[in-house]
Amino acid sequence: MYIGEVDEDEYISWQPVEKDFYDFDSLEEDLGVRIHPSIIEYFIHIILPI
């Protein structure tokens, strides 16, 4: 994901990583909340596919 080393201004280059699977269950567990199914559908079908 990161490319190269941190420069003198403490910046580092990065490259996006494509994911085929989105695990909302672990996100819900980490946050301690339930995400409404309509929000999950929105992110899976509208936001994430570019």
Side-chain angles (χ1 to χ4, degrees):
M1 182 138 93
Y2 295 106
I3 303 170
E5 300 294 324
V6 177
D7 66 15
E8 63 274 355
D9 296 322
E10 297 186 12
Y11 287 97
I12 189 168
S13 296
W14 62 275
Q15 180 176 352
V17 176
E18 186 174 333
K19 291 179 69 175
D20 294 331
F21 177 76
Y22 302 96
D23 184 9
F24 287 92
D25 293 331
S26 65
L27 177 62
E28 290 175 327
E29 186 176 321
D30 291 345
L31 296 175
V33 298
R34 295 286 300 153
I35 300 172
H36 193 275
S38 65
I39 295 172
I40 294 172
E41 286 294 314
Y42 177 76
F43 274 93
I44 289 174
H45 297 291
I46 304 296
I47 298 295
L48 297 175
I50 295 177

